[in-house]
Amino acid sequence: MKQNTQKMVAMGLLTAIVVILQFVSMNIRTATFSITLSLVPMVVGAALYGKWSGAWLGGVFGLTVLLTGDANLFLAINPVGTVITVMVKGILAGFAVGLVYELLKKKNDTVATYVSGVVAPIVNTGIFVAGCYLFFFDFIKESAAGQNTFKFVIMSFVGFNFLIELAVNLVLSPTIVKIVKIVRKENK
């Protein structure tokens, strides 16, 4: 019972952190969209409580992106495609982080954390790019004005966001490792 209460409280805090970080990161733009700082608490939640907790936090991240207006450009073009892309990328990023962590933690907790930290922006960005092509290809092709559409998506929509998100996760991975170890030690 005590562990369930601790998990519920911790997930509540991580959920709040995801929302706060998404609001904060709205003001940090490198191109069309803001960077995502919410991947870090997703990694923490998935490492501590598993892939479904990671998926929950990813879903909260996706919902927050939709509610903050960060997806307005695409909402105006294809609302259904936008909601699907934003929610799926968040949920699957969180789930993938938890799955990778779960698979690697038996070998090495630290390696599991670092690799999970890398997986989060890869899945988040990869599904975003796939959603761009699936739901917004005509808009992107028109906007590219004869340029290579893949290059246009990378330069205009993904830009440096992916690299910044990856760097943030890698820089904060040692802290994530410490948080996970402290929480696990206290739960024993």
Side-chain angles (χ1 to χ4, degrees):
M1 184 72 166
K2 181 181 175 189
Q3 282 188 331
N4 285 339
T5 304
Q6 288 175 331
K7 178 181 176 180
M8 192 169 62
V9 169
M11 285 301 294
L13 288 171
L14 289 168
T15 299
I17 291 168
V18 166
V19 172
I20 291 166
L21 286 175
Q22 192 55 39
F23 272 97
V24 168
S25 68
M26 280 179 49
N27 300 311
I28 308 169
R29 295 184 178 278
T30 59
T32 307
F33 301 103
S34 62
I35 64 164
T36 300
L37 299 174
S38 301
L39 300 176
V40 173
M42 257 194 272
V43 175
V44 172
L48 286 172
Y49 304 112
K51 56 189 173 259
W52 295 110
S53 294
W56 163 262
L57 294 168
V60 170
F61 156 61
L63 187 59
T64 306
V65 167
L66 292 170
L67 295 175
T68 59
D70 209 21
N72 282 352
L73 172 66
F74 284 166
L75 274 171
I77 299 163
N78 184 339
V80 172
T82 302
V83 170
I84 290 169
T85 301
V86 170
M87 292 305 295
V88 168
K89 77 182 185 74
I91 292 167
L92 287 183
F95 186 84
V97 165
L99 186 62
V100 167
Y101 185 86
E102 190 178 290
L103 292 172
L104 296 177
K105 74 178 179 183
K106 296 168 190 157
K107 300 279 184 205
N108 185 312
D109 226 20
T110 302
V111 170
T113 303
Y114 275 91
V115 173
S116 296
V118 169
V119 165
I122 288 173
V123 172
N124 184 55
T125 303
I127 292 174
F128 175 76
V129 170
C132 284
Y133 278 94
L134 184 62
F135 297 111
F136 308 102
F137 187 78
D138 291 338
F139 168 75
I140 292 167
K141 189 174 181 181
E142 185 179 308
S143 299
Q147 297 177 47
N148 176 301
T149 53
F150 183 74
K151 184 178 177 182
F152 182 78
V153 167
I154 300 301
M155 297 307 290
S156 300
F157 297 132
V158 179
F160 293 105
N161 289 26
F162 169 75
L163 296 174
I164 292 169
E165 292 164 8
L166 180 63
V168 166
N169 279 18
L170 287 174
V171 166
L172 293 178
S173 284
T175 304
I176 295 169
V177 170
K178 286 180 185 175
I179 291 169
V180 169
K181 286 181 180 180
I182 289 168
V183 171
R184 285 218 174 108
K185 185 178 178 182
E186 289 197 11
N187 284 340
K188 287 184 179 181

mmCIF file of all heavy atoms in Angstrom, residues 63-92:
data_model
loop_
_atom_site.group_PDB
_atom_site.id
_atom_site.type_symbol
_atom_site.label_atom_id
_atom_site.label_comp_id
_atom_site.label_asym_id
_atom_site.label_seq_id
_atom_site.Cartn_x
_atom_site.Cartn_y
_atom_site.Cartn_z
ATOM 1 N N LEU A 63 -0.866 16.191 -24.683
ATOM 2 C CA LEU A 63 -2.040 17.013 -24.387
ATOM 3 C C LEU A 63 -1.639 18.453 -24.081
ATOM 4 O O LEU A 63 -2.285 19.403 -24.529
ATOM 5 C CB LEU A 63 -2.812 16.405 -23.212
ATOM 6 C CG LEU A 63 -4.149 17.045 -22.872
ATOM 7 C CD1 LEU A 63 -5.104 16.997 -24.059
ATOM 8 C CD2 LEU A 63 -4.764 16.347 -21.665
ATOM 9 N N THR A 64 -0.547 18.617 -23.346
ATOM 10 C CA THR A 64 -0.071 19.960 -23.014
ATOM 11 C C THR A 64 0.366 20.700 -24.269
ATOM 12 O O THR A 64 0.091 21.901 -24.413
ATOM 13 C CB THR A 64 1.078 19.890 -21.989
ATOM 14 O OG1 THR A 64 0.639 19.126 -20.861
ATOM 15 C CG2 THR A 64 1.488 21.273 -21.512
ATOM 16 N N VAL A 65 1.026 20.020 -25.190
ATOM 17 C CA VAL A 65 1.420 20.646 -26.460
ATOM 18 C C VAL A 65 0.178 21.164 -27.180
ATOM 19 O O VAL A 65 0.159 22.286 -27.690
ATOM 20 C CB VAL A 65 2.199 19.654 -27.354
ATOM 21 C CG1 VAL A 65 2.326 20.168 -28.777
ATOM 22 C CG2 VAL A 65 3.577 19.378 -26.768
ATOM 23 N N LEU A 66 -0.865 20.355 -27.203
ATOM 24 C CA LEU A 66 -2.102 20.770 -27.881
ATOM 25 C C LEU A 66 -2.760 21.955 -27.178
ATOM 26 O O LEU A 66 -3.241 22.885 -27.824
ATOM 27 C CB LEU A 66 -3.083 19.596 -27.959
ATOM 28 C CG LEU A 66 -2.661 18.450 -28.881
ATOM 29 C CD1 LEU A 66 -3.580 17.251 -28.697
ATOM 30 C CD2 LEU A 66 -2.628 18.901 -30.335
ATOM 31 N N LEU A 67 -2.769 21.942 -25.846
ATOM 32 C CA LEU A 67 -3.448 22.993 -25.090
ATOM 33 C C LEU A 67 -2.675 24.309 -25.032
ATOM 34 O O LEU A 67 -3.265 25.366 -24.840
ATOM 35 C CB LEU A 67 -3.758 22.504 -23.671
ATOM 36 C CG LEU A 67 -4.762 21.350 -23.591
ATOM 37 C CD1 LEU A 67 -4.903 20.867 -22.151
ATOM 38 C CD2 LEU A 67 -6.111 21.751 -24.168
ATOM 39 N N THR A 68 -1.361 24.251 -25.207
ATOM 40 C CA THR A 68 -0.565 25.477 -25.134
ATOM 41 C C THR A 68 -0.547 26.242 -26.456
ATOM 42 O O THR A 68 -0.054 27.362 -26.513
ATOM 43 C CB THR A 68 0.901 25.174 -24.750
ATOM 44 O OG1 THR A 68 1.455 24.302 -25.734
ATOM 45 C CG2 THR A 68 1.011 24.598 -23.359
ATOM 46 N N GLY A 69 -1.052 25.617 -27.502
ATOM 47 C CA GLY A 69 -1.045 26.286 -28.796
ATOM 48 C C GLY A 69 0.216 26.037 -29.596
ATOM 49 O O GLY A 69 0.403 26.605 -30.673
ATOM 50 N N ASP A 70 1.090 25.190 -29.093
ATOM 51 C CA ASP A 70 2.348 24.927 -29.781
ATOM 52 C C ASP A 70 2.140 24.171 -31.095
ATOM 53 O O ASP A 70 3.017 24.147 -31.937
ATOM 54 C CB ASP A 70 3.299 24.150 -28.863
ATOM 55 C CG ASP A 70 4.757 24.437 -29.178
ATOM 56 O OD1 ASP A 70 5.046 25.477 -29.788
ATOM 57 O OD2 ASP A 70 5.602 23.612 -28.792
ATOM 58 N N ALA A 71 0.962 23.596 -31.261
ATOM 59 C CA ALA A 71 0.670 22.851 -32.492
ATOM 60 C C ALA A 71 -0.304 23.609 -33.395
ATOM 61 O O ALA A 71 -0.841 23.040 -34.341
ATOM 62 C CB ALA A 71 0.102 21.482 -32.133
ATOM 63 N N ASN A 72 -0.535 24.876 -33.121
ATOM 64 C CA ASN A 72 -1.542 25.642 -33.850
ATOM 65 C C ASN A 72 -1.315 25.697 -35.354
ATOM 66 O O ASN A 72 -2.276 25.693 -36.126
ATOM 67 C CB ASN A 72 -1.667 27.056 -33.291
ATOM 68 C CG ASN A 72 -2.471 27.087 -32.007
ATOM 69 O OD1 ASN A 72 -3.063 26.089 -31.607
ATOM 70 N ND2 ASN A 72 -2.478 28.226 -31.351
ATOM 71 N N LEU A 73 -0.064 25.766 -35.787
ATOM 72 C CA LEU A 73 0.218 25.811 -37.215
ATOM 73 C C LEU A 73 -0.413 24.609 -37.916
ATOM 74 O O LEU A 73 -1.112 24.752 -38.918
ATOM 75 C CB LEU A 73 1.733 25.834 -37.467
ATOM 76 C CG LEU A 73 2.164 25.686 -38.934
ATOM 77 C CD1 LEU A 73 1.724 26.898 -39.747
ATOM 78 C CD2 LEU A 73 3.670 25.495 -39.020
ATOM 79 N N PHE A 74 -0.185 23.428 -37.360
ATOM 80 C CA PHE A 74 -0.719 22.218 -37.975
ATOM 81 C C PHE A 74 -2.203 22.018 -37.666
ATOM 82 O O PHE A 74 -2.932 21.443 -38.467
ATOM 83 C CB PHE A 74 0.096 20.998 -37.556
ATOM 84 C CG PHE A 74 1.415 20.890 -38.268
ATOM 85 C CD1 PHE A 74 2.384 20.031 -37.798
ATOM 86 C CD2 PHE A 74 1.693 21.625 -39.404
ATOM 87 C CE1 PHE A 74 3.606 19.900 -38.452
ATOM 88 C CE2 PHE A 74 2.903 21.507 -40.072
ATOM 89 C CZ PHE A 74 3.861 20.643 -39.598
ATOM 90 N N LEU A 75 -2.663 22.486 -36.512
ATOM 91 C CA LEU A 75 -4.089 22.378 -36.183
ATOM 92 C C LEU A 75 -4.943 23.099 -37.221
ATOM 93 O O LEU A 75 -6.035 22.648 -37.562
ATOM 94 C CB LEU A 75 -4.370 22.943 -34.794
ATOM 95 C CG LEU A 75 -4.184 22.009 -33.616
ATOM 96 C CD1 LEU A 75 -4.276 22.756 -32.298
ATOM 97 C CD2 LEU A 75 -5.179 20.859 -33.640
ATOM 98 N N ALA A 76 -4.441 24.213 -37.722
ATOM 99 C CA ALA A 76 -5.175 24.984 -38.729
ATOM 100 C C ALA A 76 -5.261 24.237 -40.062
ATOM 101 O O ALA A 76 -6.192 24.451 -40.832
ATOM 102 C CB ALA A 76 -4.506 26.339 -38.928
ATOM 103 N N ILE A 77 -4.329 23.352 -40.324
ATOM 104 C CA ILE A 77 -4.280 22.625 -41.597
ATOM 105 C C ILE A 77 -5.053 21.310 -41.513
ATOM 106 O O ILE A 77 -5.844 20.984 -42.392
ATOM 107 C CB ILE A 77 -2.818 22.355 -41.994
ATOM 108 C CG1 ILE A 77 -2.084 23.678 -42.174
ATOM 109 C CG2 ILE A 77 -2.729 21.510 -43.254
ATOM 110 C CD1 ILE A 77 -0.583 23.538 -42.172
ATOM 111 N N ASN A 78 -4.805 20.543 -40.458
ATOM 112 C CA ASN A 78 -5.439 19.230 -40.311
ATOM 113 C C ASN A 78 -5.568 18.924 -38.820
ATOM 114 O O ASN A 78 -4.657 18.335 -38.219
ATOM 115 C CB ASN A 78 -4.601 18.159 -41.019
ATOM 116 C CG ASN A 78 -5.236 16.793 -40.983
ATOM 117 O OD1 ASN A 78 -6.089 16.493 -40.152
ATOM 118 N ND2 ASN A 78 -4.791 15.921 -41.873
ATOM 119 N N PRO A 79 -6.683 19.318 -38.206
ATOM 120 C CA PRO A 79 -6.835 19.116 -36.757
ATOM 121 C C PRO A 79 -6.716 17.655 -36.321
ATOM 122 O O PRO A 79 -6.044 17.360 -35.326
ATOM 123 C CB PRO A 79 -8.232 19.661 -36.456
ATOM 124 C CG PRO A 79 -8.567 20.555 -37.592
ATOM 125 C CD PRO A 79 -7.827 20.027 -38.782
ATOM 126 N N VAL A 80 -7.355 16.744 -37.042
ATOM 127 C CA VAL A 80 -7.310 15.332 -36.658
ATOM 128 C C VAL A 80 -5.887 14.794 -36.780
ATOM 129 O O VAL A 80 -5.386 14.119 -35.877
ATOM 130 C CB VAL A 80 -8.305 14.492 -37.509
ATOM 131 C CG1 VAL A 80 -8.124 13.015 -37.247
ATOM 132 C CG2 VAL A 80 -9.737 14.929 -37.238
ATOM 133 N N GLY A 81 -5.224 15.102 -37.895
ATOM 134 C CA GLY A 81 -3.837 14.664 -38.091
ATOM 135 C C GLY A 81 -2.911 15.227 -37.029
ATOM 136 O O GLY A 81 -1.991 14.549 -36.563
ATOM 137 N N THR A 82 -3.174 16.462 -36.633
ATOM 138 C CA THR A 82 -2.341 17.093 -35.594
ATOM 139 C C THR A 82 -2.516 16.385 -34.261
ATOM 140 O O THR A 82 -1.530 16.048 -33.593
ATOM 141 C CB THR A 82 -2.708 18.587 -35.445
ATOM 142 O OG1 THR A 82 -2.529 19.233 -36.702
ATOM 143 C CG2 THR A 82 -1.849 19.266 -34.388
ATOM 144 N N VAL A 83 -3.756 16.154 -33.862
ATOM 145 C CA VAL A 83 -4.020 15.492 -32.577
ATOM 146 C C VAL A 83 -3.413 14.091 -32.582
ATOM 147 O O VAL A 83 -2.747 13.691 -31.612
ATOM 148 C CB VAL A 83 -5.535 15.452 -32.268
ATOM 149 C CG1 VAL A 83 -5.826 14.565 -31.068
ATOM 150 C CG2 VAL A 83 -6.066 16.861 -32.037
ATOM 151 N N ILE A 84 -3.608 13.358 -33.666
ATOM 152 C CA ILE A 84 -3.044 12.008 -33.747
ATOM 153 C C ILE A 84 -1.530 12.056 -33.647
ATOM 154 O O ILE A 84 -0.919 11.329 -32.851
ATOM 155 C CB ILE A 84 -3.484 11.301 -35.054
ATOM 156 C CG1 ILE A 84 -4.979 10.970 -34.995
ATOM 157 C CG2 ILE A 84 -2.655 10.039 -35.299
ATOM 158 C CD1 ILE A 84 -5.567 10.513 -36.313
ATOM 159 N N THR A 85 -0.893 12.930 -34.433
ATOM 160 C CA THR A 85 0.573 13.014 -34.434
ATOM 161 C C THR A 85 1.112 13.393 -33.063
ATOM 162 O O THR A 85 2.020 12.740 -32.538
ATOM 163 C CB THR A 85 1.059 14.029 -35.493
ATOM 164 O OG1 THR A 85 0.601 13.609 -36.782
ATOM 165 C CG2 THR A 85 2.574 14.140 -35.497
ATOM 166 N N VAL A 86 0.549 14.433 -32.482
ATOM 167 C CA VAL A 86 1.062 14.941 -31.202
ATOM 168 C C VAL A 86 0.855 13.925 -30.079
ATOM 169 O O VAL A 86 1.769 13.681 -29.281
ATOM 170 C CB VAL A 86 0.407 16.303 -30.864
ATOM 171 C CG1 VAL A 86 0.731 16.735 -29.445
ATOM 172 C CG2 VAL A 86 0.866 17.370 -31.856
ATOM 173 N N MET A 87 -0.306 13.323 -30.018
ATOM 174 C CA MET A 87 -0.566 12.367 -28.943
ATOM 175 C C MET A 87 0.233 11.077 -29.134
ATOM 176 O O MET A 87 0.815 10.560 -28.171
ATOM 177 C CB MET A 87 -2.067 12.064 -28.842
ATOM 178 C CG MET A 87 -2.898 13.250 -28.376
ATOM 179 S SD MET A 87 -2.363 13.981 -26.807
ATOM 180 C CE MET A 87 -2.667 12.641 -25.666
ATOM 181 N N VAL A 88 0.283 10.564 -30.350
ATOM 182 C CA VAL A 88 1.013 9.318 -30.595
ATOM 183 C C VAL A 88 2.500 9.499 -30.340
ATOM 184 O O VAL A 88 3.145 8.645 -29.721
ATOM 185 C CB VAL A 88 0.736 8.785 -32.029
ATOM 186 C CG1 VAL A 88 1.691 7.671 -32.398
ATOM 187 C CG2 VAL A 88 -0.706 8.303 -32.133
ATOM 188 N N LYS A 89 3.067 10.620 -30.779
ATOM 189 C CA LYS A 89 4.515 10.813 -30.570
ATOM 190 C C LYS A 89 4.847 10.902 -29.082
ATOM 191 O O LYS A 89 5.832 10.334 -28.630
ATOM 192 C CB LYS A 89 5.053 12.011 -31.352
ATOM 193 C CG LYS A 89 4.756 13.364 -30.791
ATOM 194 C CD LYS A 89 5.303 14.471 -31.706
ATOM 195 C CE LYS A 89 5.122 15.831 -31.112
ATOM 196 N NZ LYS A 89 6.008 16.150 -30.021
ATOM 197 N N GLY A 90 4.008 11.559 -28.320
ATOM 198 C CA GLY A 90 4.261 11.657 -26.888
ATOM 199 C C GLY A 90 4.108 10.324 -26.174
ATOM 200 O O GLY A 90 4.995 9.897 -25.426
ATOM 201 N N ILE A 91 2.992 9.660 -26.432
ATOM 202 C CA ILE A 91 2.723 8.385 -25.766
ATOM 203 C C ILE A 91 3.764 7.331 -26.139
ATOM 204 O O ILE A 91 4.304 6.639 -25.270
ATOM 205 C CB ILE A 91 1.293 7.895 -26.088
ATOM 206 C CG1 ILE A 91 0.265 8.827 -25.417
ATOM 207 C CG2 ILE A 91 1.082 6.454 -25.649
ATOM 208 C CD1 ILE A 91 -1.162 8.648 -25.908
ATOM 209 N N LEU A 92 4.072 7.227 -27.428
ATOM 210 C CA LEU A 92 5.052 6.219 -27.849
ATOM 211 C C LEU A 92 6.471 6.555 -27.392
ATOM 212 O O LEU A 92 7.248 5.645 -27.098
ATOM 213 C CB LEU A 92 5.007 6.009 -29.361
ATOM 214 C CG LEU A 92 3.788 5.241 -29.867
ATOM 215 C CD1 LEU A 92 3.879 5.032 -31.368
ATOM 216 C CD2 LEU A 92 3.615 3.915 -29.153
#
